[in-house]
Amino acid sequence: MKHIPQIAASLLGLAFLLFGLNHWFGFLGELPKPPEGSAPDLFFGAIVPTGFLGFVKVLEIVGAILVIIPLTRNIGLLVLGPIVINIIAINIFIMGGAAVFQPPVIAVSVLSAFVLWSERAKFLGLLKSATSPTS
């Protein structure tokens, strides 16, 4: 049972590594384009040419590597946490609510929540030290 968090973290890291590197190398093929003029088309039309999506993909790759390594897992979760929240938000608000039930979105969400839950004691330690009065 003690190896399950490591397996989950490795799967989460590999997923982000795979999708992050796919942005640069395109080995998974091109994703279907949304209908022209739709909210997803306008959204991705804004973030792709500006380089913002490339920046996010670099953070995905860095966060993935950090999550896979047990010593740096919490830093990796801090990097990937906002990305996971944004993936969920984009799929709810821009792609339409049903998009949140796609298998990759569910897998990343569940794995992230599980790894965060298994590392909760370390995160609570950060909160306790931040709220403790200093002498």
Side-chain angles (χ1 to χ4, degrees):
M1 287 301 279
K2 70 178 188 172
H3 297 294
I4 292 176
Q6 176 62 38
I7 293 168
S10 296
L11 289 172
L12 178 66
L14 288 173
F16 273 106
L17 193 62
L18 178 73
F19 290 116
L21 290 173
N22 183 60
H23 176 74
W24 303 105
F25 301 112
F27 48 81
L28 294 177
E30 194 169 316
L31 295 174
K33 294 189 186 262
E36 193 170 327
S38 66
D41 181 51
L42 296 173
F43 178 77
F44 288 108
I47 67 169
V48 172
T50 61
F52 183 76
L53 186 61
F55 173 71
V56 171
K57 294 301 180 176
V58 168
L59 289 176
E60 285 183 13
I61 293 166
V62 170
I65 293 168
L66 292 172
V67 163
I68 292 171
I69 302 168
L71 188 62
T72 60
R73 182 163 299 143
N74 290 332
I75 297 169
L77 287 172
L78 288 173
V79 171
L80 293 178
I83 296 171
V84 171
I85 297 299
N86 276 295
I87 289 170
I88 295 168
I90 288 167
N91 279 285
I92 291 172
F93 298 114
I94 295 174
M95 306 294 279
V100 88
F101 296 109
Q102 294 178 353
V105 177
I106 292 172
V108 165
S109 302
V110 169
L111 286 171
S112 298
F114 178 76
V115 173
L116 181 61
W117 179 257
S118 67
E119 299 286 331
R120 70 188 178 280
K122 293 177 185 171
F123 279 101
L124 289 176
L126 291 173
L127 290 175
K128 288 178 186 173
S129 66
T131 58
S132 302
T134 56
S135 323

